[in-house]
Amino acid sequence: MEVREVGVVGLGTMGAGIAEVFARGGLSVTAVEADRDALARGMSILGSSLGRAVSRGKLTEDEHAQILGRVRPGSAMTSLSGADLVIEVVPEQLAVKRQVLAELDQVLRPTAIVATNTSSLSVTTIAAGSAYPGRLVGMHFFNPAPVMRLVEVVSTVLTEPAAGQAVTALARRLGKTPVQVTDRAGFVANALLLPYLNHAVRLLETGYATRDDIDLAVTAGIGLPMGPLALLDLIGLDTSLAVLQVLQREFGGTRYTPAPLLRRLADAGRTGRKSGSGFYDYPAQSPPAAGSPAGQRAEPPPPGTVTLIDPATAGARTGAAERAGPHSERAAELASLVAVAGISVTRNPVHPTDLVIVAVGPQGGVLGPATAAGRAADAVGLHVAAPGLAEIVPTPLTSARALAHAGALVARLGLPAVRSADRPGLLAGALLYPHLRDAVAMIGDGYATASDVDTVMTLGCGYPRGPVRMLAEAGVERAAEVLAAMHAGYGDPAFAPPPLLIEYVRGGLSPLAHGAR
Ligand SMILES: NC(=O)c1ccc[n+]([C@@H]2O[C@H](COP(=O)([O-])OP(=O)(O)OC[C@H]3O[C@@H](n4cnc5c(N)ncnc54)[C@H](O)[C@@H]3O)[C@@H](O)[C@H]2O)c1
């Protein structure tokens, strides 16, 4: 069946974007909201988004007028009676969705298709509450809908094949890439994304790292387009909380237990961009204020000489032997980076330098080597995470002076810098490796293929490369080691390397052999 007239119920963060996608695709759209004010607000979100496209030169004034002319604000559900397809984009609460579906059952033709944009609720459960479960299909767009190419299409055991096919064809016609997924909480993208975002909130609320450092660790250290806290603001903290609660009920475990800070901010109405504040403030709907990474803060001049301690060799040697023996690869790279910046490096721990650098690995562990060298107050860990991030790792004994010297040193190296707690994974790794772990576990469970996982995260979440490719680049051994250290350090099974990752390591296998993008 060809879809020409569509309805959008709920014109909030996602609904306004979905209405824009439909109208840009030449469909005639009727938008329905809870009340007049919400409808006016939704239409203005849509208008501003199209206005931005005009000012960026992506649309002409004429096209803008034509697209806007295809969207009709509807006064009530009855205005949807002629629609071929209606998508509900109301809040992520089963009772609200069921109420909307019951109203749609009263007004739509029996042949009309009903799509749900739910992120995490069971499409089967939603369908079972409708008088026409066969016409209900999950059509999960991603935020921002006009930009993200992915649509997860969810057909249930109750869905009539023609309805699923019509939704898939429509997604293609709109220039999107439909991926069929099974009706499991969070489908593919949110089941991977939300626990990672939740973990970032937990790192913030436990004082592990600052908001700006968490977001910078992800953009500069992992290479993702947006930090997790800025992304939570974009998605909406209330929506994220609702999705996590569903995931928690379905899968259990600490990864899905909403961080108390997330719940508190959502309860306080600080729901992110849509309310004007979340983790960041959005005074005039502007992008988050740029962070102030440690390396860019005003710092004293860098030290002329630093002492370098290599935890990989310290302890195995003593005194002169330690000074003469070869460095590990990591310490040698750090030594040459520092030397290139014009700062001399000594390996003699008793040499009176202002700063001692422990060339720490992603597993952390600064305090032991710093204390063994008798220089705990002067020491910080330093780790350079690809593609270009310095992680400065103070210990509880590091002096403010040493920390200031470390900041100045890293500024001289020209690297963006973050400060991390001295815990397994440091900052970038503590966010990245459990995220990759969840992806491997999902593949190991047979729920999605490696290629689906990478397609979904690149097209749905804007990742430059998917988690499976990231895992291959980081190395399965490194991932398994950091995860094992996190598991041992926290005792949380959510960090344990999953069986498939262990198989990759033992068999010397590449995760890409499973067919990722
Ligand atoms: N925010 C995201 O990034 C995102 C991404 C993909 C999917 N989703 C899903 O999309 C759905 C909507 O999420 P959102 O973030 O856009 O929420 P939102 O709170 O921004 O918008 C929901 C809109 O629905 C309206 N509404 C509430 N009850 C209504 C009713 N009875 N009739 C008509 N309109 C009603 C509200 O006034 C509001 O404007 C959820 O199921 C969510 O899981 C969200």
Side-chain angles (χ1 to χ4, degrees), residues 8-16 18 32-35 38-39 41-42 45 77 88-93 96-97 99-100 103 116-121 140-144 190 231 234-236 238-240 242-243 274:
V8 177
V9 181
L11 221 54
T13 306
M14 284 306 288
I18 293 170
V32 172
E33 252 293 351
D35 55 48
L39 187 58
R41 201 172 50 234
I45 302 176
M77 288 291 191
E88 73 71 17
V89 204
V90 298
E92 189 73 342
Q93 291 157 28
V96 180
K97 296 205 184 274
Q99 173 62 35
V100 165
E103 290 175 41
T116 170
N117 189 48
T118 182
S119 305
S120 59
L121 296 169
H140 185 222
F141 285 86
F142 288 78
N143 190 2
N190 281 311
L231 182 54
L234 178 71
I235 295 171
D238 51 343
T239 300
S240 305
V243 175
K274 63 183 166 187

Side-chain angles (χ1 to χ4, degrees), residues 29-102:
V29 186
T30 305
V32 172
E33 252 293 351
D35 55 48
R36 265 206 217 158
D37 287 351
L39 187 58
R41 201 172 50 234
M43 289 301 290
S44 106
I45 302 176
L46 198 153
S48 336
S49 167
L50 289 171
R52 279 195 301 276
V54 173
S55 51
R56 282 200 218 106
K58 305 229 159 137
L59 280 183
T60 64
E61 291 284 357
D62 268 4
E63 287 166 332
H64 174 273
Q66 278 169 19
I67 293 169
L68 211 49
R70 281 188 214 117
V71 185
R72 189 168 62 97
S75 48
M77 288 291 191
T78 45
S79 45
L80 301 172
S81 59
D84 302 314
L85 176 145
V86 173
I87 183 164
E88 73 71 17
V89 204
V90 298
E92 189 73 342
Q93 291 157 28
L94 185 59
V96 180
K97 296 205 184 274
R98 281 216 160 138
Q99 173 62 35
V100 165
L101 290 195

